[in-house]
Amino acid sequence: MKLDSMYQDVILDHYKHPHGRGLRDGDAEVHHVNPTCGDEITLRVRLAGTTIEDVSYEGQGCSISQASASVLNELLVGKEIDEARRVQEVFLELMQSKGKLEPDDAMEEVLEDAVAFAGVSKYPARVKCALLSWMAWKDATAQALSQGGTTSTQEGTA
């Protein structure tokens, strides 16, 4: 089986069987919209000290945006905030590579299922879809840490 085909299967599996879907209690909630295509997500973060206790979301949009939110939940829940930020930075680097960055073993170890989005990085319009939930998570986590939990809406942040 080709690597691209395996990656497509991972994305479709997360789209069909999402992790973290359904809003639960959280310390902060944000709503982000990609005005280019209409994808949107409402995401909540719950912290336990410096550990990400839960990430829950509701959203609508393409399979890439929804699968990316599922992968985010799977990757970040249970991690320390600093470690989760590192995962987010590596994912952002991959998404901004315009298809020139081939995931190596070290990157695969950090990103796990998120490496499936490597092919998405070749399509700038789709990169925003993949990053939507990650930017919402970053925003919600910052709010939870600094303000003790607030709500905001962002457009075009991905």
Side-chain angles (χ1 to χ4, degrees):
M1 184 189 282
K2 287 177 42 183
L3 193 57
D4 286 344
S5 179
M6 282 184 4
Y7 285 169
Q8 288 175 356
D9 289 345
V10 168
I11 291 171
L12 286 174
D13 186 54
H14 275 278
Y15 177 67
K16 292 177 183 176
H17 310 285
H19 300 256
R21 183 177 269 291
L23 291 173
R24 295 178 291 280
D25 288 339
D27 297 320
E29 175 182 298
V30 297
H31 182 78
H32 282 210
V33 176
N34 180 351
T36 307
C37 66
D39 289 351
E40 59 183 274
I41 188 165
T42 300
L43 184 137
R44 291 182 184 160
V45 172
R46 187 172 65 237
L47 304 177
T50 60
T51 302
I52 299 167
E53 190 172 66
D54 191 30
V55 177
S56 61
Y57 67 94
E58 278 297 334
Q60 60 185 25
C62 68
S63 61
I64 291 171
S65 71
Q66 299 305 294
S68 187
S70 173
V71 168
L72 177 145
N73 169 276
E74 186 175 83
L75 276 175
L76 302 188
V77 171
K79 285 192 171 30
E80 292 294 313
I81 293 169
D82 288 343
E83 184 182 359
R85 284 181 177 148
R86 176 71 184 132
V87 172
Q88 188 265 336
E89 289 166 3
V90 172
F91 186 71
L92 181 61
E93 178 185 4
L94 178 64
M95 290 296 92
Q96 292 177 336
S97 74
K98 298 180 180 173
K100 294 183 173 102
L101 184 60
E102 282 293 321
D104 58 13
D105 290 343
M107 184 177 276
E108 287 183 22
E109 187 174 319
V110 171
L111 293 180
E112 299 176 22
D113 279 358
V115 298
F117 295 89
V120 173
S121 69
K122 298 173 189 173
Y123 306 99
R126 304 315 302 259
V127 167
K128 289 184 177 191
C129 302
L131 288 175
L132 185 65
S133 60
W134 294 83
M135 296 301 109
W137 172 80
K138 186 177 177 182
D139 187 22
T141 300
Q143 287 184 27
L145 289 170
S146 69
Q147 301 171 4
T150 60
T151 302
S152 78
T153 298
Q154 298 284 322
E155 285 195 15
T157 58

